[in-house]
Structures are given as C-alpha cells and as structure tokens.
Amino acid sequence: MTTEAASQAASHAAEAASHGGFNLVPIVVLLGAAVIAVPLFKRLGLGSVLGYLAAGLAIGPFGLGLFSDPQSILHVAELGVVMFLFIIGLEMQPSRLWSMRGEIFGLGLLQVAVCIGLLTCVGLALGYPVPQSFVAGTGFVLTSTAIVMQMLEERRALGLPKGRRIVAILLLEDLAIVPLLALVAFLAPGGEDATLADRLTGVAIGLASITGLVLAGRYLLDPLFRLLGKAKAREVMTAAALFVVLGAALAMQLGGLSMAMGAFLAGVLLSESTFRHQLEADVEPFRGILLGLFFLGVGMSLDLSVIAANWRLIALAVVAYMVLKMLGIYAVARLFRASSREAVERAVLMAQGGEFAFVLYAAATAVGIIDAEANAILTATIIVSMALTPLMIILHDRLMPRPAPSMEGVEAAENLSASILLIGFGRFGQIVSQPLLGNSCSISIIETDTDAIRNAQDFGFKVYYGDGARLDILHAAGAGEARLVVIAVNDREASLKIAELIKAEFPLVPVLARSFDREHAIELINAGVEWQIRETFESALALGEKALELLNVDEEERERVVEDIRRRDSDRLAIEITDGIYAGRELIHGNAPVKGTPAGPGAAS
C-alpha cells in the first residue's frame, strides 16, 4: 500500500467513524502505534523513547500520513511533561530542594552560560548574524526534560546523586526560558525600544505568579485534600489532583513562565502532605500516557521534506551543536569535581536540544529574528538530536568500560587459612557467620562487593576481596585446607559455578550452600553439595507458625503442623531430584485441585 493510499484509507475510515458519533480512529491509531513500536524497540534494546519517536514518524504526515497536524497533538501531549515534573516535585521536599540550591544556581547556571557561548559560535562560524546565531544556539542549549527524565527513570538514576545533579540543571533551564524569551524580544528589530517599565512589569508578573502559587500551596492545598478525603470519593480526589497540576501549570503560563515549572512547584509544595502517595498514584497513569503521546508528536513533527532539502546544513548543525554541547557539559562537570565517568554520562544524556527550543524559535520567528524556513530547519535539527539521544545512550553503555571497584582499604584474598571458608557476606552470609564465630571457629570470608567489605569493617569483620567463581581465588582463600565451605552469594548462577568448581577441585571438602528456590536447590544437590537451604524457607515457616499462634492454635498442634510441612518438603525434594520439578505435587497443601502443569518452575518454592 502506498502512502497516498494509506492516507485515503485512513480518511475514509475516519469519515465512516464520524458518522457514528465521536471519531475514535485517531485515538486507536496512536495507541496501536505505541503498543506495537515500544515493546519491539525495548526488545531490541533501543529503549521506549526511540520506539515512540519511530512510531510517530511512521503514522505522521511524512510516513503513512494518518495525521496531518502533529502540532495539535504536541500541545496536548506537553501535559505529559507537566505531570512528569509534578511527580518529580512530589519527591523533592522543600528542605531537599533548598539543599540543591548550589547545584541549581551554580552548576546549572554555569553549564547554560558555557553552552550558550559555545553554540552561538556555530552560527557565527557559518556566517549568520549575532541575533540569529544566539537564538539558534540557545534553543539547542535547553535540554529535553522529557527525554532526560525518562532516561534517568529507566536507568533508575533519579534518586542517585548524579541524577539529582541533572535534575538541578534541568530546573535551571526551565527558569532560564523566561529571561531568554525577554532577550529574544530585546534582540528583535526595534526590540531595544522596549521600555524598562515593560521589562520590570514582566518580571513582576512572573514573581507574582510564583508567590501566589507558593501561598496557595502552603495554605490551601492540604486543607482542600483533607476535606475531599473525608468525602471518600476516589474519583473526586483524582479530579482534584489533575486540577492542582493543570491549575499550577496555567498559573505559571499566565505569568510568562514554564508550565512544567508550575507543576514542579505544586509537587514540591505537596511533597510533605499526607496525601502525597495518593496524588502520585492518581496522576501517574495520565503522566505515562501523555508523555508517550508527546514523544509520538515529536516523531510526527520530523519534516522529512525539510531534512531532504537541507540535509547538509542540518547534519552539520546537529553534529556541531551536539559535540560542542557535550564538550561544554563535560568541562563544567569536571570543574565541579564530577568523575570523568559521570561527566561523560551527563554529556551524553543532555546532548540533545529540547521541547523549549520550539517555544524559543516560535517567539524568534514572531518578532522577525528568523524566518519560517530557518524555524523549520532549526526545529528539524532539534528533533533529529532528540531521536539520536537513545542511540547515543546505547553506544555509551556498550562502549564505556565498566567501573573498576575501588580497592582502597580492601585486601585481596591471599594465602588464607581457616577451618571454614565463607563465600559471600551479604545479608545471608552475615547471619551464617554468627553461630560459627560464636563457637570460636576460625573463618575466612571473601566477598566481591568492595563497599560491603568496607562497611563490614565498621562492625568488626575482616572480609577479603575475592571472586569464589575463580579457581585461583579459591586456592588463595584456602578452600583446599578448609574443613568445610559455605556458599552464601546472592547470585544463583555464581553459586552453582562455585559449587561445581569446589566439588571438582576439592571433592573431599564438604560444601553447604544457600539456594534460591526448589529448582536451584536441585541443581546444587546434583552438583554435589552436602547440604543446601532455600534462603526463605526457615523464615517463612517461622512466620507461618506465628500466624497459627495468633489464630489461637495451641503449641502442640503448631509444632505438629510445622514438622509435617518439613517432612513433606523433604520427601517432595527427594522425589523431584530424580523425577523432575513437577513430581510430588500431591505433597503440597493447596487450596485448589491440581490440574495440569503449574505455570512455571519455582511455584511452591
């Protein structure tokens, strides 16, 4: 099917649907594109953001042509970014935000200033006047909050110090849009004629919007939600949550500020509210859908005809802007004493232009600094950089060497000698060590987590660095001379490999092992360990016995039941070793008849 035919088919379908009332075709197409593309791209290791962008390009005016006006979708989808910032604000208590003031106005301000200077030089080098060069470069400096936040969330880095530093920079960039828009008006032909009173009025309106929002959040929001909570109407609470987010965004927009900044401030003001978790649960579904819609809209906005006509200029601009921006980010990060690894990761994450560039370029076009064609070229440059970011992250993760553990204050295992070798000193190994040390047994302990080793020293333990899955380390740790070896590592594959190595190299040394489930226990038994225990078995039995006690079951009956469970489990495990994981199911106390095969191994672990 050609693009024209697809477009005609879609229009006929839309027309047919509209005769029946509300037109569901666009909604179905958007949801279908996301449902197909995102899982596929995540399966390929390309990430959800690139999946949304590709889906948007496929169904947009320059793909199948199922949508002709992506800007209308983008305007609605920007609410996804707004709600994302609201949820981030809920995690930022005022005290925590105050503690970040140095990073926001120090690190953030310097990064923005350095990058503006570097990127303005690109336009000057290409022969453009200062106003055009400044606007083009500054738009690219404003990083995509949506993409970076999504990436940080997927990488589980939002709560880490490096993630908080990036959030601080993004907050400063949100604040910077206001003076930058004022500067665009000043740089416009005749803009210098604007009076000081006009500029002061604009600043005053912005400050008044922030003050009003802070006062409303301080004195009105919590009482409002407390009143609604007494009504016990969940749908009203959801409506109130959306009202707060969108109302705060609107207040900031009317004051000439960023909608995302308004939502963020509302989140911060509610971060210490007793309703914080309920608000987060209410807003989260809308945030996810609208943020996905935003990325779809960005993909649709990629004008392939503009790229085809100006591909050399766009390619040059994308490379120049991204490289210079990465250099600026890296230099500032190192100046603020970030590690080289963190500086590189921050530079890659923030190398693209962002959604606020569209606002800045539109304002510059409206006042005559750039024309419509330049706006289209710059917009395409931003979108291409946004589309390249997920690919750059993938390359970064694959090419960047894994960090070597710091050995400061840590000794490697060498020529150790003790009656017991304990491999792994996490939450399981620490408890295992207590009865052994309590009986004055000599014990050597090895662990691969250097932080855990240093922490153990504070509690009076001597732990050596060593990987029990390596034969040379086992020799150095004294496995051959030990009376027994205990495997307590938190990695099922590693524990099985360690067991196989020890039984092959030191067959006379007894091995005790921690197992994760029944399947892993059988693997360890087949590897030759003398005894294993599933890590949750005893604690689960203890909890079950306590539950019977609270149900007023007498002590003798409780002991009988628990002993019967132990016997049944032992008998079942013996059968499973020879007949497979599904054998002996009749020994399980179930609450439904056994029919067919369970959903998967590990059931009734």
Side-chain angles (χ1 to χ4, degrees), residues 85 97 100-106 108-109 112 116 138 141-143 145 166-183 202-203 206-207 209-211 213-214 252 255-265 268 356 360:
L85 266 293
L97 192 62
M100 294 171 59
R101 64 191 184 280
E103 294 169 341
I104 295 173
F105 295 102
L109 188 60
V112 168
I116 286 177
T138 301
V141 168
L142 302 176
T143 309
T145 302
I166 291 177
V167 171
I169 297 168
L170 292 174
L171 290 176
L172 189 280
E173 290 181 356
D174 277 356
L175 287 171
I177 189 65
V178 181
L180 288 175
L181 287 173
L183 196 53
V203 172
L207 291 175
S209 299
I210 294 176
T211 304
L213 182 58
V214 170
M252 291 296 101
L257 301 171
S258 156
M259 289 194 300
M261 177 57 63
F264 177 80
L265 283 176
V268 171
F356 288 126
L360 196 69

Side-chain angles (χ1 to χ4, degrees), residues 90-165:
L90 286 175
E91 302 296 330
M92 293 274 187
Q93 287 80 13
S95 57
R96 182 178 169 190
L97 192 62
W98 178 250
S99 69
M100 294 171 59
R101 64 191 184 280
E103 294 169 341
I104 295 173
F105 295 102
L107 174 61
L109 188 60
L110 184 60
Q111 177 175 307
V112 168
V114 169
C115 290
I116 286 177
L118 289 173
L119 271 57
T120 299
C121 294
V122 174
L124 296 175
L126 293 174
Y128 292 97
V130 172
Q132 287 91 323
S133 300
F134 175 81
V135 168
T138 301
F140 206 96
V141 168
L142 302 176
T143 309
S144 172
T145 302
I147 287 182
V148 174
M149 287 294 196
Q150 181 82 356
M151 290 291 184
L152 288 175
E153 188 177 51
E154 289 183 359
R155 297 164 75 82
R156 298 177 182 175
L158 268 174
L160 301 178
K162 64 179 182 180
R164 290 199 297 270
R165 283 188 278 272

Side-chain angles (χ1 to χ4, degrees), residues 452-492:
I453 294 173
R454 282 186 282 268
N455 291 336
Q457 293 173 359
D458 297 334
F459 293 91
F461 293 99
K462 180 61 177 179
V463 182
Y464 296 89
Y465 180 81
D467 183 359
R470 287 175 48 184
L471 188 56
D472 59 327
I473 298 297
L474 290 175
H475 278 287
E481 293 75 35
R483 292 178 59 187
L484 64 87
V485 176
V486 179
I487 304 173
V489 297
N490 187 27
D491 185 324
R492 60 183 299 159

Side-chain angles (χ1 to χ4, degrees), residues 191-254:
E192 63 274 8
D193 297 334
T195 65
L196 178 62
D198 292 335
R199 296 197 182 93
L200 291 176
T201 300
V203 172
I205 292 174
L207 291 175
S209 299
I210 294 176
T211 304
L213 182 58
V214 170
L215 290 175
R218 180 70 177 84
Y219 297 107
L220 298 179
L221 292 185
D222 208 46
L224 170 66
F225 283 106
R226 191 176 295 112
L227 181 66
L228 294 176
K230 292 179 180 178
K232 296 182 179 180
R234 180 62 188 269
E235 67 280 2
V236 175
M237 288 293 288
T238 303
L242 293 175
F243 169 76
V244 168
V245 177
L246 300 181
L250 178 62
M252 291 296 101
Q253 187 181 44
L254 293 176

Side-chain angles (χ1 to χ4, degrees), residues 340-369:
S340 178
R341 187 179 191 87
E342 181 185 339
V344 170
E345 184 179 21
R346 187 187 304 169
V348 173
L349 276 170
M350 305 186 75
Q352 80 292 135
E355 47 275 4
F356 288 126
F358 305 146
V359 178
L360 196 69
Y361 293 155
T365 304
V367 297
I369 295 179

Side-chain angles (χ1 to χ4, degrees), residues 399-438:
L399 298 178
M400 197 73 175
R402 292 189 177 184
S406 170
M407 297 297 291
E408 183 180 355
V410 175
E411 292 183 42
E414 188 175 354
N415 298 322
L416 303 184
S417 178
S419 59
I420 301 165
L421 173 59
L422 175 59
I423 304 174
F425 202 64
R427 55 190 172 87
F428 191 91
Q430 292 165 19
I431 298 172
V432 169
S433 71
Q434 292 307 285
L436 301 174
L437 293 170

